[in-house]
Amino acid sequence: MAVPIAVLDCDLLLYGRGHRTLDRFKLEDVTDEYLVSTYGFPRQFIYYLVDLLGATLSRPTQRSRAISPETQILAALGFYTSGSFQTRMGDAIGISQASMSRCVANVTEALVERASQFIHFPEDEATVQSLKDDFYGLAGMPGVLGVVDCTHVAIKAPNAEDLSYVNRKGLHSLNCLMVCDSRGVLLSAETHWPGSLPDCTVLEQAALTSQFETELHKDGWLLGDSSFLLRTWLMTPLHIPETPAEYRYNMAHSATHNIIERTFRTIRSRFRCLDGSKGTLQYSPEKSSHIILACCVLHNISLEHGLDVWSSPATGHLEQPEEEYEQMESVDSEACRIRQELLLTHFS
């Protein structure tokens, strides 16, 4: 006769659901160096996250309410920055591996709820002008509101095999569309696109396109590489530059656009759960997308707190799928006119 087995929460067995919080680990008992090496961030940053997310993580309806917000945040940061649910990390803060997994889920959703608070384009004129000035100072490209590109993050194969997540390298991934400013602060992040979609298709279907075509500033543009089509609000390189002005334009474009590649490297270096070195994200596409977005929110918060040192190239195992660009000019005559005017005015 089969005996039913109940799956028990080790923490509830030890402490009981009615316990207010579990004070397993105290930040003040360890050094900043330890916190940075183990959880990726210093003490004051972690305190800020506790203040930001504490009320959400203390909701009585959550199963892990007996685990303090501080402990939940440490568990999540440990996963984001190491890429694995290591037993020693759970032991360090006094929770089981199953509880660590729930903590990551709770903190991830709390950060995703606040994504629009930390990832957005500036709206007031002074900040927009400052954004353009900062970009212009890099390589002399005027009118730039942000640089845009896509990056792939490896995920496990969905339970119901879906070829839409298989990229050009034959790996399952999400294709993430992001925009950043001259410091690497993310202004837009759409992390849910299936890996089989080429960059140009992702942009065509993205909320970002709708924003720029219906809402955002008409006196500036994004910079995108040759995987995108030229638009009135998106300046791309010339495929075959011929004149000195066209070469200068392409050089300024490349030097400015490189910021997004550096930003991708920084995010992957800081959040090793995304870099492929520990394997793929072992979640559904939806949950994986939320983890990526949560890391994007943390990236921006870290820049707000001055943790903005550019990282060296990450050592991730997931290579970027090489796009086979169709070398064609945009059929948008107005976009072509704007780029030609930019060439004549600023690069001739």
Side-chain angles (χ1 to χ4, degrees):
M1 177 180 177
V3 178
I5 299 175
V7 179
L8 300 178
D9 188 324
C10 297
D11 298 318
L12 296 182
L13 284 174
L14 290 172
Y15 300 98
R17 185 176 295 280
H19 198 278
R20 183 175 58 84
T21 59
L22 299 180
D23 298 321
R24 303 174 171 82
F25 181 93
K26 293 185 181 299
L27 286 175
E28 59 269 22
D29 292 340
V30 296
T31 65
D32 253 12
E33 289 76 11
Y34 172 82
L35 291 172
V36 171
S37 65
T38 307
Y39 304 103
F41 295 95
R43 187 187 328 276
Q44 290 307 315
F45 183 88
I46 296 171
Y47 280 143
Y48 173 82
L49 292 181
V50 172
D51 289 341
L52 178 70
L53 307 178
T56 300
L57 297 176
S58 299
R59 288 173 182 166
T61 56
Q62 292 186 350
R63 291 183 61 196
S64 60
R65 67 175 180 173
I67 302 178
S68 69
E70 180 179 291
T71 300
Q72 293 186 60
I73 288 167
L74 288 172
L77 292 179
F79 168 71
Y80 297 147
T81 58
S82 74
S84 64
F85 291 115
Q86 298 176 4
T87 301
R88 65 174 181 81
M89 189 170 295
D91 291 343
I93 54 178
I95 62 175
S96 65
Q97 192 166 343
S99 293
M100 272 199 70
S101 181
R102 287 197 300 277
C103 290
V104 170
N106 292 342
V107 175
T108 295
E109 292 311 306
L111 288 168
V112 167
E113 287 177 7
R114 290 160 177 78
S116 61
Q117 176 183 345
F118 294 99
I119 303 175
H120 57 82
F121 283 91
E123 297 180 354
D124 63 282
E125 291 185 10
T127 307
V128 170
Q129 187 57 52
S130 177
L131 185 66
K132 294 178 183 179
D133 292 343
D134 290 343
F135 272 119
Y136 187 78
L138 292 176
M141 181 69 75
V144 180
L145 299 170
V147 289
V148 59
D149 207 350
C150 289
T151 187
H152 286 254
V153 175
I155 63 172
K156 73 172 184 178
N159 291 331
E161 179 59 31
D162 188 344
L163 294 179
S164 67
Y165 290 96
V166 179
N167 62 38
R168 296 185 63 84
K169 297 292 187 180
L171 304 173
H172 290 82
S173 69
L174 290 168
N175 195 1
C176 306
L177 178 73
M178 300 187 193
V179 180
C180 74
D181 70 9
S182 62
R183 283 203 309 126
V185 175
L186 294 173
L187 306 175
S188 177
E190 299 184 35
T191 60
H192 62 283
W193 297 102
S196 67
L197 293 181
D199 295 357
C200 60
T201 303
V202 169
L203 181 63
E204 183 179 333
Q205 299 178 10
L208 178 69
T209 294
S210 176
Q211 280 183 300
F212 267 83
E213 291 186 345
T214 62
E215 302 173 17
L216 288 182
H217 319 282
K218 304 299 182 183
D219 56 346
W221 39 72
L222 302 179
L223 297 187
D225 64 19
S226 297
S227 62
F228 303 115
L229 282 177
L230 180 71
R231 299 170 183 260
T232 57
W233 48 269
L234 178 66
M235 294 292 103
T236 60
L238 290 120
H239 295 311
I240 306 176
E242 296 177 347
T243 68
E246 290 176 345
Y247 276 103
R248 284 192 288 269
Y249 166 85
N250 270 14
M251 289 179 64
H253 188 290
S254 177
T256 307
H257 187 265
N258 185 54
I259 292 293
I260 190 72
E261 298 300 331
R262 294 171 67 189
T263 300
F264 289 157
R265 290 197 298 269
T266 297
I267 292 172
R268 288 177 182 275
S269 294
R270 177 168 281 157
F271 303 107
R272 302 302 295 273
C273 68
L274 308 181
D275 78 352
S277 64
K278 300 292 184 180
T280 62
L281 284 175
Q282 296 297 302
Y283 299 92
S284 68
E286 180 181 10
K287 288 185 178 180
S288 295
S289 169
H290 285 186
I291 287 173
I292 300 167
L293 185 56
C295 290
C296 290
V297 172
L298 287 173
H299 168 76
N300 274 13
I301 296 175
S302 70
L303 294 182
E304 280 189 8
H305 284 72
L307 307 176
D308 57 355
V309 177
W310 291 107
S311 299
S312 57
T315 57
H317 294 185
L318 178 64
E319 297 179 5
Q320 294 300 300
E322 296 178 4
E323 300 285 355
E324 294 180 359
Y325 304 142
E326 185 177 358
Q327 299 298 308
M328 56 181 291
E329 286 295 337
S330 172
V331 296
D332 188 333
S333 59
E334 178 63 12
C336 291
R337 184 195 67 76
I338 290 174
R339 185 170 66 180
Q340 188 61 29
E341 182 177 316
L342 181 59
L343 280 163
L344 292 174
T345 304
H346 294 277
F347 296 97
S348 295

